[in-house]
């Protein structure tokens, strides 16, 4: 979050923190974890960008059409027609963990590396890339405040830390790659993962976080925006009709995130994690779009958006589909509530197909 918006953002965080203080005093019903802290990008932002001074219309989801399927039928800053992945995994309603306590620090456009391209993200007022650690700065302030009370350490250790980040780095790198003789994908992905490991270790574990649920970036080359790029340059179309280079990056990144977390869990005492393989889940949906559990038959076109693949961006005048629960993509970069629901459920219940080494249900019941 930008520092100019920080005063306001921090005020609302502190308001939320009093909810946490109440929880510290012992909630009536005992949830499996006392709270959830969310970090990441627009896949899990629940409206924080609306409070940021230098986040312009492009980095906000505050138009009519967004939020059309929420109970209020109006935009809340979520980049979806309804609830997003964070809501559906952890929130009080419609969710698996079933929490009413937590703080969401996510911000649409956030990434892991400063040096990746300049297409998707927004910038803080001093021109710096908005990065995950700047969201952690807010977290650190809240935690410092909470840790003045000794019971908070236990509270934080038992809480669920949910992180979804990295897609923006992949978008930017594949949209504006380095010059061919300067390009080294392996090196780029290694830097990405090293930076990710640093945040988990230094910003979260070091202040007491022990339970991590992480989702690796999905097949980013299949978003309508990237599909359109692929279509315009058919040399780079993969078997899904998506942008091949972008999907290759996602595919290579997934096992690297897996071994990063595995290594951290060996290094850091009492750390436990659950990693969702979003690439595997996307392939699964592409191969079986219609099952008794869901019916995502429109895999290609954005529900809200104009032009080819609906890639022209969702805004208050864009076309809006009727049958939103059958669309994977809400807009040119974001999934529908229905598609996020499939991911959320899988993160919670999957037994080794796409979620390793344990699922979120097991993670939240572990005694730290
Ligand atoms: C610290 O936590 C205890 C119990 O969880 C609570 O009763 C007390 O009010 C808290 N103190 C402060 C200063 O927040
Ligand atoms: C959306 O945000 C922009 C600033 O980026 C603001 O000008 C506009 O009034 C907001 N729209 C709504 C509906 O809140
Ligand atoms: C790319 O980077 C990796 C990791 O730094 C290195 O091992 C490899 O040799 C590099 N490849 C090329 C073609 O320079
Ligand atoms: C993607 O990766 C596969 C396997 O590593 C490779 O054969 C293919 O050429 C790559 N495609 C692109 C567009 O980079
Ligand atoms: C939790 O983490 C500890 C050490 O970090 C590890 O020994 C244990 O196997 C993990 N539990 C599960 C269920 O993965
Ligand atoms: C919505 O997007 C379309 C296509 O990009 C654009 O032509 C139109 O002006 C936008 N409408 C608003 C209200 O921003
Ligand atoms: C809406 O989706 C359902 C389920 O996929 C399908 O049965 C129905 O025909 C669709 N309706 C329209 C108007 O596309």
């Amino acid at each position: 979050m930008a520092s100019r918006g920080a005063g306001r953002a921090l005020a609302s965080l502190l308001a939320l923190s009093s909810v946490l203080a109440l929880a510290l005093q012992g909630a009536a019903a005992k949830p499996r974890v006392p709270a959830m802290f969310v970090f990441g990008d627009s896949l899990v932002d629940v409206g924080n960008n609306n409070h940021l001074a230098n986040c312009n219309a492009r980095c906000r989801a505050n138009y009519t059409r967004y939020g059309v399927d929420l109970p209020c039928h109006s935009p809340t800053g979520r980049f979806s027609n309804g609830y997003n992945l964070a809501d559906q995994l952890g929130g009080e309603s419609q969710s698996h963990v079933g929490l009413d306590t937590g703080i969401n620090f996510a911000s649409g456009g956030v990434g892991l590396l400063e040096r990746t391209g300049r297409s998707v993200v927004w910038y803080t007022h001093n021109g710096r890339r908005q990065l995950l650690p700047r969201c952690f700065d807010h977290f650190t302030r809240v935690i410092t405040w909470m840790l003045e009370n000794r019971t908070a350490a236990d509270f934080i250790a038992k809480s669920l830390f949910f992180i979804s980040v990295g897609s923006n780095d992949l978008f930017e790198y594949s949209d504006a790659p380095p010059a061919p003789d300067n390009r080294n994908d392996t090196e780029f992905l290694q830097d990405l993962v090293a930076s990710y490991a640093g945040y988990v270790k230094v910003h979260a574990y070091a202040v007491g976080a022990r339970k991590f649920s992480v989702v690796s970036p999905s097949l980013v080359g299949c978003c309508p925006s990237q599909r359109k790029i692929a279509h315009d340059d058919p040399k780079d179309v993969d078997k899904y009709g998506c942008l091949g280079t972008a999907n290759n990056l996602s595919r290579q990144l997934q096992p690297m995130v897996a071994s990063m977390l595995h290594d951290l869990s060996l290094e850091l005492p009492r750390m436990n994690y659950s990693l969702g393989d979003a690439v595997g889940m996307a392939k699964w949906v592409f191969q079986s779009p219609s099952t008794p559990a869901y019916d995502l038959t429109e895999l290609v076109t954005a529900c809200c958006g104009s032009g080819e693949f609906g890639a022209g961006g969702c805004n208050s005048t864009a076309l809006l589909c009727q049958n939103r629960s059958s669309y994977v993509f809400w807009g040119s970069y974001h999934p529908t509530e229905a598609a996020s629901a499939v991911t959320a459920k899988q993160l919670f219940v999957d037994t080794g197909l796409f979620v390793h080494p344990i699922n979120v249900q097991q993670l939240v019941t572990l005694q730290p």
Side-chain angles (χ1 to χ4, degrees):
M1 293 176 211
S3 46
R4 240 193 264 165
R8 215 155 124 206
L10 190 65
S12 65
L13 291 182
L14 290 179
L16 275 168
S17 304
S18 32
V19 177
L20 291 180
L22 285 177
L24 279 174
Q25 288 159 19
K30 267 206 170 353
R32 283 171 276 213
V33 290
M36 174 159 115
F37 296 93
V38 179
F39 298 87
D41 53 30
S42 53
L43 297 175
V44 292
D45 182 347
V46 290
N48 289 328
N49 276 12
N50 281 352
H51 301 285
L52 300 179
N54 18 19
C55 168
N56 63 22
R58 255 195 96 203
C59 83
R60 292 184 179 188
N62 70 348
Y63 301 102
T64 315
R65 300 237 190 292
Y66 287 99
V68 60
D69 295 317
L70 288 170
C72 59
H73 303 295
S74 55
T76 57
R78 287 171 173 80
F79 294 78
S80 183
N81 58 311
Y83 290 113
N84 68 25
L85 181 57
D87 295 307
Q88 298 189 82
L89 183 68
E92 186 175 13
S93 61
Q94 293 207 336
S95 89
H96 298 287
V97 183
L99 287 170
D100 60 4
T101 307
I103 307 182
N104 186 310
F105 297 88
S107 172
V110 153
L112 289 163
L113 289 177
E114 187 104 39
R115 72 177 162 83
T116 1
R118 300 196 157 243
S119 52
V120 185
V121 295
W122 61 280
Y123 292 86
T124 58
H125 66 280
N126 56 8
R128 297 187 71 189
R129 166 86 195 273
Q130 184 65 323
L131 290 172
L132 196 62
R134 303 204 180 108
C135 303
F136 272 112
D137 287 346
H138 292 269
F139 169 68
T140 309
R141 272 189 268 178
V142 172
I143 294 307
T144 307
W145 173 81
M146 285 174 66
L147 285 177
E148 286 168 9
N149 193 327
R150 277 183 299 134
T151 51
D154 186 50
F155 181 86
I156 295 163
K158 286 180 173 154
S159 293
L160 179 64
F161 284 72
F162 181 52
I163 311 180
S164 165
V165 72
S167 302
N168 289 319
D169 299 276
L170 300 185
F171 282 132
E172 293 157 40
Y173 184 84
S174 65
D175 286 359
D181 51 347
N182 217 358
R183 175 170 179 162
N184 185 332
D185 292 357
T186 308
E187 198 171 57
F188 162 67
L189 293 169
Q190 283 174 352
D191 285 355
L192 207 66
V193 170
S195 141
Y196 207 154
Y199 300 148
V200 169
K201 191 172 164 178
V202 176
H203 293 271
Y205 182 87
V207 295
R210 295 294 178 267
K211 293 184 173 188
F212 296 89
S213 164
V214 174
V215 193
S216 60
S218 187
L219 287 174
V220 296
C222 292
C223 289
S225 57
Q226 309 309 99
R227 198 181 278 273
K228 177 154 189 330
I229 294 171
H231 194 80
D232 294 346
D233 176 14
K235 286 195 298 295
D236 194 8
V237 181
D238 70 10
K239 66 173 176 181
Y240 301 112
C242 308
L243 192 61
T245 41
N247 277 354
N248 267 10
L249 291 170
S250 297
R251 261 193 290 270
Q252 290 171 65
L253 180 59
Q254 204 285 327
M256 294 169 75
V257 173
S259 58
M260 178 271 283
L261 287 169
H262 177 72
D263 292 349
L264 282 180
S265 75
L266 297 179
E267 179 191 342
L268 306 173
R270 293 173 60 213
M271 171 189 163
N272 286 100
Y273 71 95
S274 167
L275 172 63
D277 170 10
V279 168
M281 289 188 226
K283 285 190 200 161
W284 176 55
V285 168
F286 289 149
Q287 278 152 19
S288 37
S290 192
T291 75
Y294 62 83
D295 198 27
L296 292 168
T297 45
E298 180 51 66
L299 304 167
V300 170
T301 301
C303 170
C304 178
S306 315
E308 201 178 12
F309 308 122
C314 177
N315 64 26
S316 54
T317 55
L319 291 172
L320 177 69
C321 74
Q322 291 303 308
N323 224 358
R324 292 183 282 278
S325 60
S326 61
Y327 278 67
V328 168
F329 293 103
W330 162 245
S332 46
Y333 291 99
H334 301 110
T336 55
E337 176 180 274
S340 305
V342 174
T343 309
K345 170 139 194 232
Q346 219 52 40
L347 292 178
F348 200 69
V349 305
D350 184 286
T351 50
L353 207 49
F354 308 119
V355 183
H356 301 275
I358 54 175
N359 62 34
V360 175
Q361 186 164 30
Q362 294 166 321
L363 181 67
V364 297
T365 48
L366 277 183
Q367 292 300 318

